[in-house]
Structures are given as structure tokens and as C-alpha cells.
Amino acid sequence: MTYRADDYQADRTRYDATDYRRCGRSGLLLPPISLGLWHNFGDAEPLETQRAVLRRAFDRGVTHMDLANNYGPPYGAAERNFGTIFADDFRLYRDELIISTKAGWDMWPGPYGQGGGSRKYLLASLDQSLERMGLDYVDIFYSHRFDPDTPLEETMGALDAAVRAGKALYVGISSYGPERTREAHAILREMGTPLLIHQPSYSMINRWIEDELLDTVDELGVGTIAFTPLAQGLLTNKYLGGIPEDSRAAREGTGIADQLTDDNIARIRALDALAQERGQTLAQMALAWALRDERVTSLLVGARTVEQLDNSLDALGNTDFSDEELARIDEHAVDGGVNWWAESARG
């Protein structure tokens, strides 16, 4: 095979330094940190920057790329951009990748594209996602939220149908509460398609899954992959000196600025001081802390640049905590009112 000078060839040592975690009681292994393509892979970011982040992630053993139909902006852009880069750089490595997508929030005009859990919406969305990414199948297809207006049997039936059609290898749910998780698991088990994984929000200042959900998924043998472990940037030092003009919090409609209360900032400053004592950035400590529980299979992190990605992945170099450190963290790691997905979990 003849390579061009700019052809991507993955780092041969990419698997040497990563300890992969089993996803529940399945046969699937996931990296402890996975790459989420939520905010930084839309049309507002240069394609070459996205390419650099994806290459660096894979070179460092990140085998899991997580998307959704409406990631962008605009909706669909993250899948389309990922598909472009996948075709150029990663098609040869398809069997080394876990690629996931989701459907559940609003996506296209009219009554069939406004999200939820209908069979019509979920399966049409999956077909669109596969076309945008240029894939024959995804490894994991999620119900992105619980829909109280659709029978759960219909939603889970659509996930089962995706597997039986060969368009998904596994299925998952996101932002479901413990009771609905049990129901979803039971329905899928009856259909013969196991529930592989749950994707809830979780961070030092959003600890809702510790009350009951982690016990539930552990009992059921379901994996957990947490999103927003950095609370959309609050658990970094980005906002300790105010809101930078180029940050997401400065953009209208994100809601992040509303969470920068005096109380939250004071707690984040205290956590930042603890991180410095550990020789880590606050972001690194927050990720290491979220991985302290073996029931958490993986964390989803976003990265706007290679430097941000490396900072997150370097958290894996120090994931041990003493009992004293955990106790001190607990003094400040309390609910900060940042669970924007609580309504779905209460459904």
C-alpha cells in the first residue's frame, strides 16, 4: 500500500498504557476515558482541529467515540464531520473502535422529529446517523432520554429492532432513573437483547447516581459511562477568575453562567487547592475521583484542542485517593444544581 505524506497511521504503542474496563457483565471492554463529540465537533470548529483531537485520542488508546444525532451545531454536524474524518483516517481501524450514537431529543421539524422514544423517531434517526457517518452499523445505540409519553415497550422494542437489523451491536439508555432502568432492562431481557450500558450525568457537584442508580446497574450487570464529569467546564480552573470571552459559559443559552454562583465558585476553589496538593489540575482530580468507583466503566470527556485532551487523559496517571483525601473532597463535592437532565431521570 502506498501512503501519502499526510495519511494517518495510528501509533503502534496505543494500547500499551491503558487499562480497559469491562462494561458491566458483558464481554465488552471500554477505555476509562472516552471521547465525547458533543460540543466541539460541529461546524463552528475547524475540521483539522477535530481531526487532530481524534487522532491523538486514538493514539493514546481511546477506542470509544460517543456521538448523538443532534450534536453540533447545527444538529447532525458532529456525525457528519466525524464521518468525513472516519473515511479519511479511521476506516482501516473500524474493528478497533467503539462508535456510539443516540436519539431522544428534538432533531428535525414536524411531529416525528421532535424527540422522544417512538419507534418511528428512533429507527429513522439511526438510519440518518449511519448515513451521516458513513457506517454500516454503530457499536452502541442509545435511547437518549426517557419519554413519559411513549410506552417503554415501544422504545425498547425499537432498540431491539436496531440490533436485529444489524444496525447496532449493543444498546444503552441515558438519563433514566433507577426504576425505569430496571423496567428497561427487564423488557430488553425478555426480547433477548441485553441492556449493555447506562449513560448518566455525574460529577463532583452532581452526585445523584450515588443514591440508588449505581447500585441498580451493578445488580443488573449493566455498565455505566458518565457524561459531564467536569460539569461542562465548571470543574476546571477556567472560571475561577471570571468568564473568558471565548468560553462556552459566555455563549447565550448554555446556562453555564447561571451555575457560577458564589457558593459553587467557593467550593470549586477549595477543590482546586486539593488538586494542587495532589500534583494535578482540578480537571484531572475530578476525572480520577469519578473513576474511583469500579461500577463506573468509563467517563466521557470533551476536548476542543489536543492540549485539553492530553490534560484529561493525564488524569489516569494518578487515580488513587487516600481516605483522608476522599473525606476532604466530600466536604466540598456537594450538589451544585447542575443536573440539567434530572427531569428525564424522574420520569
Side-chain angles (χ1 to χ4, degrees):
M1 180 180 292
T2 302
Y3 289 95
R4 301 189 306 272
D6 60 347
D7 277 345
Y8 170 64
Q9 298 180 58
D11 192 317
R12 293 184 178 181
T13 66
R14 59 189 176 276
Y15 298 121
D16 292 354
T18 301
D19 293 323
Y20 295 85
R21 295 186 171 197
R22 188 162 303 279
C23 189
R25 289 196 289 270
S26 77
L28 186 67
L29 299 175
L30 292 178
I33 292 180
S34 301
L35 182 63
L37 278 67
W38 182 8
H39 292 304
N40 300 308
F41 287 79
D43 290 346
E45 302 295 334
L47 192 65
E48 289 312 304
T49 301
Q50 299 177 33
R51 185 189 306 275
V53 171
L54 284 164
R55 288 181 173 186
R56 181 63 169 171
F58 190 52
D59 282 345
R60 293 197 59 176
V62 177
T63 53
H64 181 205
M65 314 300 177
D66 180 80
L67 299 103
N69 57 355
N70 63 352
Y71 285 179
Y75 288 174
E79 289 182 330
R80 174 170 40 80
N81 291 335
F82 173 77
T84 297
I85 297 168
F86 172 84
D88 290 343
D89 292 351
F90 294 104
R91 189 168 296 280
L92 290 174
Y93 302 103
R94 176 64 183 98
D95 292 339
E96 298 181 43
L97 294 172
I98 301 297
I99 301 170
S100 61
T101 196
K102 302 177 284 292
W105 299 100
D106 65 297
M107 181 60 191
W108 65 84
Y112 314 120
Q114 294 307 297
S118 74
R119 184 182 184 95
K120 168 70 173 177
Y121 167 68
L122 290 174
L123 295 180
S125 178
L126 178 55
D127 284 343
Q128 293 175 19
S129 292
L130 293 174
E131 183 176 358
R132 280 189 290 268
M133 292 188 285
L135 299 176
D136 297 324
Y137 69 93
V138 291
D139 296 275
I140 308 170
F141 182 49
Y142 287 89
S143 166
H144 206 167
R145 68 177 177 92
F146 173 71
D147 177 10
D149 298 320
T150 300
L152 196 55
E153 290 80 2
E154 180 176 346
T155 302
M156 296 302 106
L159 298 185
D160 173 70
V163 172
R164 294 184 184 278
K167 296 178 181 179
L169 300 185
Y170 302 94
V171 297
I173 56 177
S174 178
S175 299
Y176 279 51
E179 180 181 354
R180 299 303 185 188
T181 297
R182 289 185 182 277
E183 294 176 7
H185 178 271
I187 294 168
L188 285 167
R189 182 178 58 189
E190 184 71 19
M191 292 177 173
T193 295
L195 176 61
L196 172 79
I197 194 167
H198 191 304
Q199 187 177 133
S201 62
Y202 180 52
S203 72
M204 283 180 159
I205 55 176
N206 177 23
R207 300 177 63 168
W208 73 279
I209 68 173
E210 295 176 4
D211 291 338
E212 186 178 351
L213 184 62
L214 280 176
D215 286 337
T216 298
V217 295
D218 185 48
E219 177 188 334
L220 298 175
V222 174
T224 302
I225 181 167
F227 71 94
T228 63
L230 299 180
Q232 298 205 67
L234 270 65
L235 289 171
T236 69
N237 57 17
K238 182 187 302 184
Y239 299 118
L240 294 182
I243 301 177
E245 292 183 2
D246 63 345
S247 67
R248 287 195 63 247
R251 302 176 195 170
E252 186 175 350
T254 65
I256 298 174
D258 297 336
Q259 311 306 320
L260 295 171
T261 63
D262 290 343
D263 186 55
N264 277 347
I265 289 296
R267 294 183 185 281
I268 292 167
R269 287 187 189 281
L271 291 170
D272 183 53
L274 291 172
Q276 291 182 43
E277 291 181 22
R278 285 173 49 85
Q280 291 180 305
T281 65
L282 174 55
Q284 289 169 345
M285 185 179 78
L287 294 174
W289 177 89
L291 287 168
R292 77 198 186 287
D293 192 317
E294 293 182 353
R295 295 171 296 181
V296 176
T297 313
S298 184
L299 305 176
L300 284 168
V301 302
R304 192 175 181 182
T305 65
V306 168
E307 290 73 24
Q308 287 181 356
L309 175 69
D310 280 339
N311 182 70
S312 292
L313 294 178
D314 287 347
L316 299 176
N318 183 9
T319 57
D320 295 329
F321 291 87
S322 68
D323 290 342
E324 179 187 1
E325 285 177 319
L326 291 175
R328 293 174 64 192
I329 288 171
D330 280 343
E331 294 177 12
H332 308 288
V334 300
D335 186 82
V338 299
N339 187 0
W340 289 274
W341 306 270
E343 183 176 351
S344 175
R346 286 193 297 265

